Amino acid sequence: MSSCKAGQSSGWTPQLMGSLVGKTYVITGASAGAGFEAARLLLSKGARVVMLNRSEEKSLEVMARLQPIAGSAADISFISMDLSSLDSVRAAAAKLLAAQPRIDALLCNAAIAQVAKHETTRDGFESQWGVNHLGHFLLCGLLFERIAASAGRVVVVGSNAYKMGLKRIQFEDINFQRQYSAWNAYAQSKLAQMMFAYELQRRVSAADKSVQVLVCHPGASRTNLLKDTASPFNKALWAVLSRVMAQSAEKGSWPEVMCATHAGLKPEGYYGPTRRAQMVGPVGECPLDAVAHNRVMAAQLWQLSEQQVGFCWPL
C-alpha cells in the first residue's frame, strides 16, 4: 500500500472492512460530502450511525436516502448540533450520552473552509477556529469517557492545509482581528485540530486509557466544503480545478472510515491519499510535517482551548 501498511499494495479500500454489527459510530457533518459517504459505508457493514448535523431538514433527507441503500435494518439517527455554538455542542453531547451506551468511534468530519470575510461564532471566536477546532475539542472532551469505556476511537479529519499558511498557531491574535486571511485562518484551524489530536494521543497514553486517536485527511475531493463560505473567485476556481484534479466524495471518505475501523494503524501517523501531492490515489500513510508534533505549541494550544470552551479534560 504505497507508503502505508494497512493491507494491500493498492491501498486501503472498503473491501477490507469486516462486519460492524453491534458497533456505534458518531459523525459530525454527515449531511453531505465525505461525511455522508462515511455514514453510508459504515451502515453497509451493519453499524449503528448517529449523525451530528446542523440542519434537521437535511438530516431527514439523508436518512431517507440512506435507508434504501443500507436496507430495512439500517440503524441511523441524528441529533441537531451546531459546532459554531458551544451551548449547542453541550446539548447535543448530553442527548447523545443519554441515548447511546457505547461509542466505538467519533469521526470529527465537519468543517468550514476559506470563509471569505471575517466572521465570528455565537461565542465570539473566528468562525473557522470556533467550528473546526473549538467545537470538536469540546465535543471530544464531553464524549471522551464514553469512548474510553467502549475502547473506542477518536478520528480527526485534518487537511494538508495544516502545513501551509502561517504554519503555526497565532496565539497573539488567535481570532485574526488585526489582519484577516481566509486561507491563513483555515490553515490555522486545521493545524490546531491535528495538534490537538496528537496531544490527546500523548495524554491518553500517559493515562493508560483504552482510546485510539487517529488523524487523516480526505485529499482533494469533490464536496460542498467551499459552497457556502468561500469567495466567488475561490468557488469558481475550485469548480474548474476539481474536474481535473479531484476525486469523488466517496473516496474522500475512505481515510476516515479506515481510521474508524481498521486495525494496526500507527497513532502518530497521518492517513489519506498518497499520490499527486497527497491529493488523490491509494489510501495509506502520508508524510507528516514536524510542526504537527510540536509539543510546546500543542501544550499551549490545549490550555488555551480549555479556557475558551470552559471545559477541563479528565486527562
Side-chain angles (χ1 to χ4, degrees):
M1 165 184 274
S2 233
S3 60
C4 176
K5 299 177 181 178
Q8 299 177 341
S9 60
S10 58
W12 186 92
T13 70
Q15 280 73 27
L16 292 171
M17 296 170 66
S19 172
L20 299 176
V21 173
K23 294 184 179 294
T24 300
Y25 295 89
V26 179
I27 310 175
T28 66
S31 62
F36 169 83
E37 296 295 342
R40 183 181 64 79
L41 286 172
L42 294 167
L43 285 167
S44 73
K45 295 298 182 178
R48 175 184 298 107
V49 172
V50 182
M51 304 183 296
L52 299 181
N53 296 332
R54 183 173 55 180
S55 170
E56 179 178 352
E57 180 181 357
K58 288 183 179 179
S59 297
L60 293 173
E61 292 174 358
V62 166
M63 291 173 67
R65 288 173 59 194
L66 287 173
Q67 197 74 45
I69 296 174
S72 58
D75 190 343
I76 182 168
S77 60
F78 81 94
I79 294 173
S80 295
M81 185 185 74
D82 183 350
L83 282 166
S84 71
S85 166
L86 296 178
D87 283 344
S88 178
V89 173
R90 294 186 186 95
K95 291 179 182 178
L96 180 61
L97 291 173
Q100 301 297 334
R102 65 178 295 133
I103 300 175
D104 291 277
L106 168 63
L107 284 67
C108 299
N109 167 82
I112 57 174
Q114 298 182 39
V115 178
K117 296 181 180 180
H118 188 276
E119 297 180 10
T120 58
T121 66
R122 297 180 190 179
D123 302 286
F125 303 112
E126 187 278 316
S127 59
Q128 290 160 107
W129 177 259
V131 171
N132 299 347
H133 172 56
L134 291 181
H136 281 121
F137 180 88
L138 177 59
L139 179 67
C140 290
L142 293 170
L143 300 181
F144 179 78
E145 291 297 347
R146 183 63 48 86
I147 297 170
S150 310
R153 306 184 186 192
V154 174
V155 178
V156 171
V157 180
S159 165
N160 284 328
Y162 84 96
K163 58 185 176 182
M164 304 173 193
L166 300 175
K167 204 174 173 180
R168 69 182 181 89
I169 305 301
Q170 188 175 263
F171 292 109
E172 73 277 11
D173 185 20
I174 204 73
N175 290 309
F176 283 86
Q177 293 174 316
R178 299 174 194 165
Q179 185 175 1
Y180 179 72
S181 161
W183 178 251
N184 286 343
Y186 174 63
Q188 174 181 259
S189 73
K190 301 310 285 187
L191 174 59
Q193 280 191 277
M194 292 171 61
M195 294 186 80
F196 151 64
Y198 293 122
E199 176 68 11
L200 178 57
Q201 289 173 357
R202 292 187 285 269
R203 290 173 179 245
V204 163
S205 178
D208 198 25
K209 294 282 189 175
S210 297
V211 176
Q212 295 183 61
V213 187
L214 295 159
V215 182
C216 63
H217 72 94
S221 304
R222 289 187 289 273
T223 68
N224 293 329
L225 182 61
L226 302 182
K227 180 180 178 181
D228 298 323
T229 56
S231 67
F233 173 79
N234 282 341
K235 290 179 186 177
L237 179 62
W238 177 242
V240 174
L241 292 177
S242 64
R243 295 173 188 170
V244 296
M245 61 179 284
Q247 60 190 0
S248 67
E250 178 187 357
K251 287 188 175 180
S253 75
W254 288 6
E256 61 186 282
V257 175
M258 179 184 76
C259 286
T261 63
H262 199 81
L265 301 180
K266 298 192 306 185
E268 69 276 12
Y270 179 50
Y271 297 96
T274 54
R275 293 183 183 162
R276 287 203 288 180
Q278 303 170 38
M279 294 190 294
V280 297
V283 174
E285 185 177 359
C286 299
L288 183 65
D289 191 285
V291 67
H293 282 307
N294 185 315
R295 296 193 177 201
V296 174
M297 198 182 303
Q300 188 176 355
L301 170 66
W302 188 284
Q303 182 179 29
L304 173 64
S305 301
E306 285 191 331
Q307 292 172 352
Q308 291 188 326
V309 303
F311 175 83
C312 290
W313 277 67
L315 289 173

